[in-house]
Amino acid sequence: MREAMRVSVCRQPKLRYIMENFVFHSPTEFVFGRDTQKDTGKLVAKYGGKRVLLVYGGGSAERSGLIATVKDALDAEGIFHTVLKDIQPNPTDDKVYEGIALCQEHAVDFILAVGGGSVVDTAKAVALGSCYSGDFWDFYAGKEQPQDALPIGVVLTIPAAGSEGSPNSVITKREGHHKISYRCQLTRPKFAIENPELTMTLPPFQTACGIVDMLCHIFERYFSNTPAPLVNAYSEAIMRDIMDRGLTLRLNPDDYEARADIMWAGTLAHNGLCGVGKVEDWASHRIEHEVSAIYDVAHGAGLACIVPAWLKFVAKSNPDMVWRFAINVMSVNPAGLSTEQIIDEGIALLKDFYHDLGLTTSLRELIGKEPDIDLLVKGLEGNMGKTVGGYVTLTMDDCRKIYEEAL
Amino acid sequence: MREAMRVSVCRQPKLRYIMENFVFHSPTEFVFGRDTQKDTGKLVAKYGGKRVLLVYGGGSAERSGLIATVKDALDAEGIFHTVLKDIQPNPTDDKVYEGIALCQEHAVDFILAVGGGSVVDTAKAVALGSCYSGDFWDFYAGKEQPQDALPIGVVLTIPAAGSEGSPNSVITKREGHHKISYRCQLTRPKFAIENPELTMTLPPFQTACGIVDMLCHIFERYFSNTPAPLVNAYSEAIMRDIMDRGLTLRLNPDDYEARADIMWAGTLAHNGLCGVGKVEDWASHRIEHEVSAIYDVAHGAGLACIVPAWLKFVAKSNPDMVWRFAINVMSVNPAGLSTEQIIDEGIALLKDFYHDLGLTTSLRELIGKEPDIDLLVKGLEGNMGKTVGGYVTLTMDDCRKIYEEAL
């Protein structure tokens, strides 16, 4: 196949798809580098914010002085601000309702998220809900299409979810553990401030989970039946760099340039660049979302269990891109190996990488007990219907086998 | 050096720079694929255009039916349009003045460029000049900063200049042959329609010149002293794909996917993605601009002469990135070769590539006579001052040697 011209072994694809038409529109202004958080007030003002809802997680952003810096920057521009704090990982609908009420009470016209994906995703849901007379969950449940959203700005502290440059957000409805990912172009942030120095104090576990998550955002687009030599080539370059730099950070968490690469790669992984013209997959994310919704584990840690099991399963019926991944990303030397051996070695090396990051690839180990696979499959079916995935269409029976493989 | 970890030979850089802070803001909506030119009217309306100046080159866009399609699409939305046509390669100030007069006469509120870089660049200059009471050349001459510009849309027909996604434009002042490149964020197009099918009828020479130009847009950013492992890695992936696909198109000009890759790569080469955090160079472009301004040759054809000579010259004092380029982009096998041999082989392979595209790497052959190097150096000094370049700072004497090497 044409995409594989640069590797040692060439093969014809079983199926020939065509490149899809696409729209790529990533209008976010990315302001990247040291001390850039000091520009927060000017950027909010540039995008018309006069009354801000400041959304953040918990103590670390306060203790580090970041929240004080951001508030000072808003004050310097004469911008009013009120606070929605204590956003937790796997953010839930209750905080969204709280935020919407604050926006109404204070006539907020701009949402500023200071944190990682959970904070940004909460900000997006509040931005949508504040411009809607009904229940914001209507959008996530697919019942309504939003017409408007408040503008959003981001000061990023965790490179992982890519939410700072994406139209996506993931919210969990506490009643019933419904964890739903929603894509809406209205919620692309106006600006995202990315200072790699702010990520240096992240615990190694959080750094690792972020790396797994951003890699998986590329996987969900890379594993596709659409021919895409250019997109595949730059996606592979980004994936290899994330892995190199991820290992660098295990040894030296203060390496500014490695932090910078990881931060920028996390944005490119999910702003759409790596998916242009391709039919995307997203099965791994959906299969994992049930795990983190039900057992409240970190999304990235869940993905480290699900992704290798998913790869092993899909390679049986559609090996081409898994084989290419093994050679071009995991650097398996194909000489003398069968297709199956190349794929097995690629998946083994990916698991080794996750282990090197300090993560487990076993669901049992992750949640500390035997997971209830019936419950996981039931939840997945409730949220997704009969099938998931674009690279291989998976039935709920297939997903059960993937959960079992991930045990 | 860290950037070179993935290649066979590693070396420490002589100098250690740090990554620069950057702003990356590419807000253009790229609408890519078959038949997308039919959406022109809807996109102009989406971005507020009611009275359009339609800018294009010459007969080919009319003969192919593209101009009629675009006019129909505008008419369907009830959008008024008037025409500025006959834009030539190396576009000149006289057409800009003509466009500004048309905008004033017809109260134009949107500029629509249908063509390649020359057309888009003219549209940008008209967009700036229409919002300014003085002479638009004040901006290109560095005398004034623009405060506003009319919005611009693009229907791209030649992948080359990257102007559809960049803030740059190049205009030649006919009096004195001043060819000036100007960067202004106000001139980033609101949308760019890119249909690879529209490029299938380009003559091989124009396809080749476009490929040389877009590659050079990456070179100008890649050859830098800033450490940038991630950016270098995806830049190399894009460069390799451009070369692969460029050769594919020599054999099969109708290959849709190769046309698509070249078109998308041309945009990514110049929207800023490949330069984030880096000190850029731009010496080759500036040295070439004198050639195309004085001898009116195609910019890409001029670059095919200048770039190898520039590489050879700068490698003498700063070999690191040229050596990396030879291995990672030109695929030189470094085993058993000295640094100098690796570099020589890389440059020789790049010249071979230009020859394979049907281009000459000799200035004499390109312009059909002995170029007047005194005149070239004098022009360069007049436009640029005493030095050019970021990877190696070149004096006018150095530039003279590069012109001589390119003979």
Side-chain angles (χ1 to χ4, degrees), chain A residues 2 16 21-27 30 32-34 229-230 245 257 261 331, chain B residues 2 6 16 21-27 30 32-34 229-230 245 257 261:
Chain A
R2 182 170 293 119
R16 183 69 178 170
N21 282 13
F22 67 83
V23 174
F24 178 74
H25 192 196
S26 173
F30 298 103
F32 195 102
R34 295 175 176 84
L230 171 62
R245 303 307 224 142
E257 284 161 31
D261 267 11
S331 302
Chain B
R2 181 170 293 119
R6 304 207 66 84
R16 182 70 178 170
N21 281 12
F22 66 84
V23 174
F24 178 73
H25 192 196
S26 172
F30 298 103
F32 195 102
R34 295 175 176 85
L230 171 61
R245 302 310 223 141
E257 284 159 31
D261 267 11

mmCIF file of all heavy atoms in Angstrom, chain A residues 2 16 21-27 30 32-34 229-230 245 257 261 331, chain B residues 2 6 16 21-27 30 32-34 229-230 245 257 261:
data_model
loop_
_atom_site.group_PDB
_atom_site.id
_atom_site.type_symbol
_atom_site.label_atom_id
_atom_site.label_comp_id
_atom_site.label_asym_id
_atom_site.label_seq_id
_atom_site.Cartn_x
_atom_site.Cartn_y
_atom_site.Cartn_z
ATOM 1 N N ARG A 2 0.354 2.313 -0.582
ATOM 2 C CA ARG A 2 1.185 3.487 -0.794
ATOM 3 C C ARG A 2 1.712 4.058 0.518
ATOM 4 O O ARG A 2 2.847 4.491 0.596
ATOM 5 C CB ARG A 2 0.418 4.544 -1.575
ATOM 6 C CG ARG A 2 1.255 5.777 -1.868
ATOM 7 C CD ARG A 2 0.580 6.721 -2.842
ATOM 8 N NE ARG A 2 0.462 6.139 -4.159
ATOM 9 C CZ ARG A 2 -0.693 5.926 -4.774
ATOM 10 N NH1 ARG A 2 -1.804 6.258 -4.166
ATOM 11 N NH2 ARG A 2 -0.738 5.400 -5.971
ATOM 12 N N ARG A 16 -9.801 -0.796 -0.478
ATOM 13 C CA ARG A 16 -9.330 0.491 -0.954
ATOM 14 C C ARG A 16 -10.399 1.542 -0.674
ATOM 15 O O ARG A 16 -11.450 1.554 -1.309
ATOM 16 C CB ARG A 16 -9.052 0.411 -2.444
ATOM 17 C CG ARG A 16 -8.489 1.682 -3.031
ATOM 18 C CD ARG A 16 -7.086 1.931 -2.542
ATOM 19 N NE ARG A 16 -6.554 3.140 -3.152
ATOM 20 C CZ ARG A 16 -5.441 3.708 -2.768
ATOM 21 N NH1 ARG A 16 -4.748 3.204 -1.768
ATOM 22 N NH2 ARG A 16 -5.000 4.786 -3.362
ATOM 23 N N ASN A 21 -13.458 14.233 2.039
ATOM 24 C CA ASN A 21 -13.430 15.701 2.147
ATOM 25 C C ASN A 21 -13.378 16.081 3.626
ATOM 26 O O ASN A 21 -13.853 15.325 4.476
ATOM 27 C CB ASN A 21 -14.704 16.301 1.527
ATOM 28 C CG ASN A 21 -14.644 16.340 0.000
ATOM 29 O OD1 ASN A 21 -13.787 15.725 -0.617
ATOM 30 N ND2 ASN A 21 -15.582 17.067 -0.589
ATOM 31 N N PHE A 22 -12.803 17.208 3.921
ATOM 32 C CA PHE A 22 -12.763 17.612 5.329
ATOM 33 C C PHE A 22 -12.783 19.124 5.484
ATOM 34 O O PHE A 22 -12.476 19.859 4.538
ATOM 35 C CB PHE A 22 -11.547 17.026 6.053
ATOM 36 C CG PHE A 22 -10.199 17.554 5.588
ATOM 37 C CD1 PHE A 22 -9.696 18.755 6.077
ATOM 38 C CD2 PHE A 22 -9.428 16.844 4.677
ATOM 39 C CE1 PHE A 22 -8.456 19.236 5.662
ATOM 40 C CE2 PHE A 22 -8.182 17.321 4.251
ATOM 41 C CZ PHE A 22 -7.702 18.513 4.746
ATOM 42 N N VAL A 23 -13.154 19.565 6.697
ATOM 43 C CA VAL A 23 -12.977 20.959 7.101
ATOM 44 C C VAL A 23 -12.018 20.950 8.279
ATOM 45 O O VAL A 23 -12.225 20.206 9.245
ATOM 46 C CB VAL A 23 -14.311 21.598 7.520
ATOM 47 C CG1 VAL A 23 -14.078 23.003 8.086
ATOM 48 C CG2 VAL A 23 -15.269 21.657 6.333
ATOM 49 N N PHE A 24 -10.944 21.702 8.183
ATOM 50 C CA PHE A 24 -10.032 21.855 9.320
ATOM 51 C C PHE A 24 -10.081 23.316 9.743
ATOM 52 O O PHE A 24 -9.709 24.208 8.979
ATOM 53 C CB PHE A 24 -8.608 21.449 8.943
ATOM 54 C CG PHE A 24 -7.629 21.646 10.087
ATOM 55 C CD1 PHE A 24 -7.640 20.785 11.172
ATOM 56 C CD2 PHE A 24 -6.717 22.691 10.087
ATOM 57 C CE1 PHE A 24 -6.768 20.961 12.235
ATOM 58 C CE2 PHE A 24 -5.841 22.875 11.133
ATOM 59 C CZ PHE A 24 -5.860 22.005 12.211
ATOM 60 N N HIS A 25 -10.560 23.513 10.940
ATOM 61 C CA HIS A 25 -10.728 24.884 11.429
ATOM 62 C C HIS A 25 -10.357 24.902 12.908
ATOM 63 O O HIS A 25 -11.147 24.538 13.769
ATOM 64 C CB HIS A 25 -12.179 25.336 11.223
ATOM 65 C CG HIS A 25 -12.378 26.797 11.420
ATOM 66 N ND1 HIS A 25 -13.607 27.374 11.607
ATOM 67 C CD2 HIS A 25 -11.487 27.824 11.462
ATOM 68 C CE1 HIS A 25 -13.466 28.682 11.762
ATOM 69 N NE2 HIS A 25 -12.193 28.978 11.676
ATOM 70 N N SER A 26 -9.148 25.296 13.174
ATOM 71 C CA SER A 26 -8.621 25.340 14.540
ATOM 72 C C SER A 26 -8.277 26.792 14.856
ATOM 73 O O SER A 26 -7.125 27.206 14.769
ATOM 74 C CB SER A 26 -7.372 24.444 14.630
ATOM 75 O OG SER A 26 -6.740 24.592 15.881
ATOM 76 N N PRO A 27 -9.297 27.587 15.175
ATOM 77 C CA PRO A 27 -9.088 29.042 15.266
ATOM 78 C C PRO A 27 -8.466 29.510 16.581
ATOM 79 O O PRO A 27 -8.188 30.699 16.729
ATOM 80 C CB PRO A 27 -10.515 29.597 15.131
ATOM 81 C CG PRO A 27 -11.394 28.517 15.680
ATOM 82 C CD PRO A 27 -10.704 27.213 15.393
ATOM 83 N N PHE A 30 -2.960 30.032 20.268
ATOM 84 C CA PHE A 30 -2.120 29.340 21.249
ATOM 85 C C PHE A 30 -0.952 30.254 21.637
ATOM 86 O O PHE A 30 -0.160 30.641 20.777
ATOM 87 C CB PHE A 30 -1.596 28.020 20.683
ATOM 88 C CG PHE A 30 -2.696 27.051 20.335
ATOM 89 C CD1 PHE A 30 -3.091 26.859 19.025
ATOM 90 C CD2 PHE A 30 -3.371 26.362 21.335
ATOM 91 C CE1 PHE A 30 -4.132 25.992 18.700
ATOM 92 C CE2 PHE A 30 -4.407 25.482 21.029
ATOM 93 C CZ PHE A 30 -4.792 25.304 19.709
ATOM 94 N N PHE A 32 2.264 30.328 23.818
ATOM 95 C CA PHE A 32 3.067 29.231 24.357
ATOM 96 C C PHE A 32 4.396 29.731 24.906
ATOM 97 O O PHE A 32 5.115 30.460 24.230
ATOM 98 C CB PHE A 32 3.333 28.239 23.213
ATOM 99 C CG PHE A 32 3.828 26.885 23.653
ATOM 100 C CD1 PHE A 32 2.961 25.803 23.688
ATOM 101 C CD2 PHE A 32 5.155 26.692 24.035
ATOM 102 C CE1 PHE A 32 3.398 24.546 24.091
ATOM 103 C CE2 PHE A 32 5.599 25.449 24.443
ATOM 104 C CZ PHE A 32 4.728 24.371 24.466
ATOM 105 N N GLY A 33 4.724 29.297 26.121
ATOM 106 C CA GLY A 33 6.065 29.563 26.627
ATOM 107 C C GLY A 33 6.084 30.090 28.048
ATOM 108 O O GLY A 33 5.046 30.224 28.714
ATOM 109 N N ARG A 34 7.269 30.420 28.484
ATOM 110 C CA ARG A 34 7.495 30.868 29.853
ATOM 111 C C ARG A 34 6.703 32.141 30.179
ATOM 112 O O ARG A 34 6.655 33.068 29.369
ATOM 113 C CB ARG A 34 8.980 31.146 30.062
ATOM 114 C CG ARG A 34 9.864 29.912 29.962
ATOM 115 C CD ARG A 34 11.340 30.314 30.067
ATOM 116 N NE ARG A 34 12.223 29.147 30.075
ATOM 117 C CZ ARG A 34 12.641 28.519 28.971
ATOM 118 N NH1 ARG A 34 12.274 28.937 27.776
ATOM 119 N NH2 ARG A 34 13.443 27.466 29.069
ATOM 120 N N PRO A 229 -1.183 9.054 3.421
ATOM 121 C CA PRO A 229 0.271 8.983 3.621
ATOM 122 C C PRO A 229 0.847 10.176 4.376
ATOM 123 O O PRO A 229 1.654 10.000 5.286
ATOM 124 C CB PRO A 229 0.820 8.917 2.201
ATOM 125 C CG PRO A 229 -0.307 8.385 1.381
ATOM 126 C CD PRO A 229 -1.567 8.884 2.020
ATOM 127 N N LEU A 230 0.444 11.384 3.992
ATOM 128 C CA LEU A 230 1.004 12.574 4.638
ATOM 129 C C LEU A 230 0.581 12.633 6.103
ATOM 130 O O LEU A 230 1.415 12.827 6.996
ATOM 131 C CB LEU A 230 0.541 13.828 3.893
ATOM 132 C CG LEU A 230 0.852 15.169 4.558
ATOM 133 C CD1 LEU A 230 2.357 15.375 4.698
ATOM 134 C CD2 LEU A 230 0.236 16.317 3.762
ATOM 135 N N ARG A 245 9.974 11.679 24.537
ATOM 136 C CA ARG A 245 9.965 12.718 25.550
ATOM 137 C C ARG A 245 9.312 12.224 26.830
ATOM 138 O O ARG A 245 9.662 12.678 27.920
ATOM 139 C CB ARG A 245 9.248 13.948 25.015
ATOM 140 C CG ARG A 245 9.880 14.462 23.749
ATOM 141 C CD ARG A 245 11.367 14.690 23.898
ATOM 142 N NE ARG A 245 11.723 15.947 23.293
ATOM 143 C CZ ARG A 245 12.618 16.789 23.773
ATOM 144 N NH1 ARG A 245 13.284 16.514 24.876
ATOM 145 N NH2 ARG A 245 12.879 17.905 23.154
ATOM 146 N N GLU A 257 12.393 21.514 27.703
ATOM 147 C CA GLU A 257 12.073 21.230 26.299
ATOM 148 C C GLU A 257 11.246 19.958 26.138
ATOM 149 O O GLU A 257 10.392 19.887 25.247
ATOM 150 C CB GLU A 257 13.339 21.188 25.471
ATOM 151 C CG GLU A 257 13.845 22.600 25.209
ATOM 152 C CD GLU A 257 15.282 22.620 24.805
ATOM 153 O OE1 GLU A 257 15.735 21.645 24.175
ATOM 154 O OE2 GLU A 257 15.965 23.610 25.134
ATOM 155 N N ASP A 261 7.608 19.933 24.433
ATOM 156 C CA ASP A 261 7.189 19.023 23.365
ATOM 157 C C ASP A 261 5.914 18.271 23.754
ATOM 158 O O ASP A 261 4.982 18.143 22.952
ATOM 159 C CB ASP A 261 8.296 18.004 23.066
ATOM 160 C CG ASP A 261 9.215 18.464 21.947
ATOM 161 O OD1 ASP A 261 9.128 19.637 21.554
ATOM 162 O OD2 ASP A 261 10.017 17.645 21.469
ATOM 163 N N SER A 331 9.049 0.890 16.188
ATOM 164 C CA SER A 331 10.379 0.573 15.665
ATOM 165 C C SER A 331 10.720 -0.912 15.705
ATOM 166 O O SER A 331 11.873 -1.295 15.923
ATOM 167 C CB SER A 331 11.450 1.375 16.412
ATOM 168 O OG SER A 331 11.208 2.759 16.292
ATOM 169 N N ARG B 2 20.038 16.201 21.014
ATOM 170 C CA ARG B 2 18.820 15.466 21.319
ATOM 171 C C ARG B 2 17.950 15.303 20.081
ATOM 172 O O ARG B 2 17.340 14.269 19.876
ATOM 173 C CB ARG B 2 18.048 16.174 22.436
ATOM 174 C CG ARG B 2 16.769 15.439 22.813
ATOM 175 C CD ARG B 2 16.151 16.000 24.066
ATOM 176 N NE ARG B 2 16.976 15.750 25.241
ATOM 177 C CZ ARG B 2 17.493 16.707 25.984
ATOM 178 N NH1 ARG B 2 17.281 17.970 25.690
ATOM 179 N NH2 ARG B 2 18.226 16.420 27.035
ATOM 180 N N ARG B 6 17.030 9.886 16.750
ATOM 181 C CA ARG B 6 16.459 8.824 15.942
ATOM 182 C C ARG B 6 17.335 8.460 14.751
ATOM 183 O O ARG B 6 16.988 7.585 13.980
ATOM 184 C CB ARG B 6 15.064 9.206 15.447
ATOM 185 C CG ARG B 6 14.084 9.580 16.527
ATOM 186 C CD ARG B 6 12.683 9.322 16.099
ATOM 187 N NE ARG B 6 12.483 7.895 15.931
ATOM 188 C CZ ARG B 6 12.193 7.066 16.932
ATOM 189 N NH1 ARG B 6 12.067 7.484 18.158
ATOM 190 N NH2 ARG B 6 12.034 5.774 16.705
ATOM 191 N N ARG B 16 24.210 25.978 22.093
ATOM 192 C CA ARG B 16 22.978 25.537 22.721
ATOM 193 C C ARG B 16 22.037 26.730 22.859
ATOM 194 O O ARG B 16 22.274 27.634 23.666
ATOM 195 C CB ARG B 16 23.284 24.949 24.092
ATOM 196 C CG ARG B 16 22.066 24.415 24.811
ATOM 197 C CD ARG B 16 21.557 23.178 24.126
ATOM 198 N NE ARG B 16 20.422 22.634 24.845
ATOM 199 C CZ ARG B 16 19.651 21.666 24.379
ATOM 200 N NH1 ARG B 16 19.904 21.120 23.211
ATOM 201 N NH2 ARG B 16 18.637 21.216 25.074
ATOM 202 N N ASN B 21 9.515 31.378 23.128
ATOM 203 C CA ASN B 21 8.065 31.514 23.294
ATOM 204 C C ASN B 21 7.448 31.763 21.916
ATOM 205 O O ASN B 21 8.108 32.338 21.032
ATOM 206 C CB ASN B 21 7.739 32.698 24.206
ATOM 207 C CG ASN B 21 7.932 32.361 25.674
ATOM 208 O OD1 ASN B 21 8.514 31.333 26.036
ATOM 209 N ND2 ASN B 21 7.455 33.235 26.541
ATOM 210 N N PHE B 22 6.211 31.342 21.737
ATOM 211 C CA PHE B 22 5.587 31.604 20.435
ATOM 212 C C PHE B 22 4.081 31.777 20.575
ATOM 213 O O PHE B 22 3.486 31.359 21.574
ATOM 214 C CB PHE B 22 5.896 30.486 19.427
ATOM 215 C CG PHE B 22 5.303 29.135 19.758
ATOM 216 C CD1 PHE B 22 3.989 28.830 19.411
ATOM 217 C CD2 PHE B 22 6.057 28.154 20.381
ATOM 218 C CE1 PHE B 22 3.443 27.578 19.688
ATOM 219 C CE2 PHE B 22 5.522 26.899 20.676
ATOM 220 C CZ PHE B 22 4.207 26.613 20.327
ATOM 221 N N VAL B 23 3.497 32.418 19.564
ATOM 222 C CA VAL B 23 2.048 32.434 19.390
ATOM 223 C C VAL B 23 1.762 31.713 18.081
ATOM 224 O O VAL B 23 2.350 32.042 17.049
ATOM 225 C CB VAL B 23 1.501 33.870 19.330
ATOM 226 C CG1 VAL B 23 0.005 33.853 18.987
ATOM 227 C CG2 VAL B 23 1.734 34.588 20.647
ATOM 228 N N PHE B 24 0.905 30.709 18.141
ATOM 229 C CA PHE B 24 0.462 30.038 16.916
ATOM 230 C C PHE B 24 -1.032 30.285 16.776
ATOM 231 O O PHE B 24 -1.820 29.857 17.625
ATOM 232 C CB PHE B 24 0.754 28.541 16.960
ATOM 233 C CG PHE B 24 0.256 27.805 15.725
ATOM 234 C CD1 PHE B 24 0.907 27.945 14.516
ATOM 235 C CD2 PHE B 24 -0.858 26.988 15.781
ATOM 236 C CE1 PHE B 24 0.444 27.291 13.375
ATOM 237 C CE2 PHE B 24 -1.332 26.326 14.643
ATOM 238 C CZ PHE B 24 -0.667 26.479 13.441
ATOM 239 N N HIS B 25 -1.391 30.993 15.725
ATOM 240 C CA HIS B 25 -2.792 31.361 15.536
ATOM 241 C C HIS B 25 -3.107 31.273 14.053
ATOM 242 O O HIS B 25 -2.809 32.182 13.291
ATOM 243 C CB HIS B 25 -3.027 32.784 16.071
ATOM 244 C CG HIS B 25 -4.475 33.118 16.184
ATOM 245 N ND1 HIS B 25 -4.935 34.392 16.322
ATOM 246 C CD2 HIS B 25 -5.576 32.331 16.177
ATOM 247 C CE1 HIS B 25 -6.269 34.379 16.405
ATOM 248 N NE2 HIS B 25 -6.670 33.155 16.313
ATOM 249 N N SER B 26 -3.666 30.154 13.668
ATOM 250 C CA SER B 26 -4.002 29.896 12.262
ATOM 251 C C SER B 26 -5.511 29.728 12.172
ATOM 252 O O SER B 26 -6.028 28.625 12.150
ATOM 253 C CB SER B 26 -3.281 28.618 11.803
ATOM 254 O OG SER B 26 -3.714 28.233 10.513
ATOM 255 N N PRO B 27 -6.227 30.869 12.183
ATOM 256 C CA PRO B 27 -7.687 30.788 12.314
ATOM 257 C C PRO B 27 -8.437 30.463 11.026
ATOM 258 O O PRO B 27 -9.651 30.327 11.049
ATOM 259 C CB PRO B 27 -8.050 32.196 12.806
ATOM 260 C CG PRO B 27 -7.000 33.072 12.215
ATOM 261 C CD PRO B 27 -5.739 32.245 12.149
ATOM 262 N N PHE B 30 -10.196 25.810 6.638
ATOM 263 C CA PHE B 30 -9.774 25.116 5.419
ATOM 264 C C PHE B 30 -10.865 24.123 5.019
ATOM 265 O O PHE B 30 -11.194 23.216 5.787
ATOM 266 C CB PHE B 30 -8.444 24.393 5.637
ATOM 267 C CG PHE B 30 -7.317 25.324 5.976
ATOM 268 C CD1 PHE B 30 -6.865 25.452 7.281
ATOM 269 C CD2 PHE B 30 -6.719 26.097 4.990
ATOM 270 C CE1 PHE B 30 -5.841 26.332 7.605
ATOM 271 C CE2 PHE B 30 -5.695 26.987 5.303
ATOM 272 C CZ PHE B 30 -5.252 27.105 6.613
ATOM 273 N N PHE B 32 -11.687 21.391 2.372
ATOM 274 C CA PHE B 32 -10.790 20.613 1.514
ATOM 275 C C PHE B 32 -11.523 19.455 0.856
ATOM 276 O O PHE B 32 -12.214 18.683 1.525
ATOM 277 C CB PHE B 32 -9.660 20.062 2.396
ATOM 278 C CG PHE B 32 -8.476 19.534 1.640
ATOM 279 C CD1 PHE B 32 -7.315 20.296 1.536
ATOM 280 C CD2 PHE B 32 -8.508 18.286 1.047
ATOM 281 C CE1 PHE B 32 -6.206 19.813 0.842
ATOM 282 C CE2 PHE B 32 -7.409 17.800 0.341
ATOM 283 C CZ PHE B 32 -6.253 18.561 0.251
ATOM 284 N N GLY B 33 -11.352 19.311 -0.446
ATOM 285 C CA GLY B 33 -11.850 18.115 -1.114
ATOM 286 C C GLY B 33 -12.606 18.411 -2.392
ATOM 287 O O GLY B 33 -12.691 19.561 -2.850
ATOM 288 N N ARG B 34 -13.139 17.351 -2.949
ATOM 289 C CA ARG B 34 -13.828 17.433 -4.243
ATOM 290 C C ARG B 34 -15.030 18.370 -4.183
ATOM 291 O O ARG B 34 -15.787 18.355 -3.221
ATOM 292 C CB ARG B 34 -14.302 16.039 -4.641
ATOM 293 C CG ARG B 34 -13.180 15.049 -4.916
ATOM 294 C CD ARG B 34 -13.766 13.675 -5.180
ATOM 295 N NE ARG B 34 -12.729 12.702 -5.545
ATOM 296 C CZ ARG B 34 -11.997 12.020 -4.665
ATOM 297 N NH1 ARG B 34 -12.168 12.212 -3.363
ATOM 298 N NH2 ARG B 34 -11.088 11.155 -5.064
ATOM 299 N N PRO B 229 12.922 19.181 18.770
ATOM 300 C CA PRO B 229 12.793 17.785 18.315
ATOM 301 C C PRO B 229 11.426 17.464 17.721
ATOM 302 O O PRO B 229 11.343 16.837 16.671
ATOM 303 C CB PRO B 229 13.019 16.977 19.607
ATOM 304 C CG PRO B 229 13.776 17.881 20.504
ATOM 305 C CD PRO B 229 13.337 19.273 20.176
ATOM 306 N N LEU B 230 10.363 17.892 18.375
ATOM 307 C CA LEU B 230 9.025 17.567 17.875
ATOM 308 C C LEU B 230 8.763 18.250 16.545
ATOM 309 O O LEU B 230 8.332 17.616 15.572
ATOM 310 C CB LEU B 230 7.968 17.994 18.912
ATOM 311 C CG LEU B 230 6.508 17.916 18.474
ATOM 312 C CD1 LEU B 230 6.106 16.491 18.126
ATOM 313 C CD2 LEU B 230 5.593 18.467 19.570
ATOM 314 N N ARG B 245 5.547 12.380 -3.062
ATOM 315 C CA ARG B 245 4.357 12.679 -3.838
ATOM 316 C C ARG B 245 4.687 13.518 -5.061
ATOM 317 O O ARG B 245 4.022 13.392 -6.094
ATOM 318 C CB ARG B 245 3.339 13.376 -2.948
ATOM 319 C CG ARG B 245 2.956 12.553 -1.742
ATOM 320 C CD ARG B 245 2.565 11.136 -2.106
ATOM 321 N NE ARG B 245 1.404 10.780 -1.340
ATOM 322 C CZ ARG B 245 0.390 10.073 -1.802
ATOM 323 N NH1 ARG B 245 0.410 9.598 -3.024
ATOM 324 N NH2 ARG B 245 -0.630 9.802 -1.033
ATOM 325 N N GLU B 257 -4.874 11.430 -4.703
ATOM 326 C CA GLU B 257 -4.333 11.466 -3.345
ATOM 327 C C GLU B 257 -2.961 12.140 -3.276
ATOM 328 O O GLU B 257 -2.639 12.799 -2.295
ATOM 329 C CB GLU B 257 -4.291 10.067 -2.754
ATOM 330 C CG GLU B 257 -5.696 9.637 -2.342
ATOM 331 C CD GLU B 257 -5.829 8.150 -2.222
ATOM 332 O OE1 GLU B 257 -4.823 7.504 -1.883
ATOM 333 O OE2 GLU B 257 -6.931 7.637 -2.484
ATOM 334 N N ASP B 261 -2.220 15.390 -1.045
ATOM 335 C CA ASP B 261 -1.105 15.524 -0.103
ATOM 336 C C ASP B 261 -0.293 16.776 -0.395
ATOM 337 O O ASP B 261 0.078 17.530 0.514
ATOM 338 C CB ASP B 261 -0.188 14.295 -0.187
ATOM 339 C CG ASP B 261 -0.578 13.227 0.823
ATOM 340 O OD1 ASP B 261 -1.662 13.339 1.429
ATOM 341 O OD2 ASP B 261 0.208 12.282 1.006
#
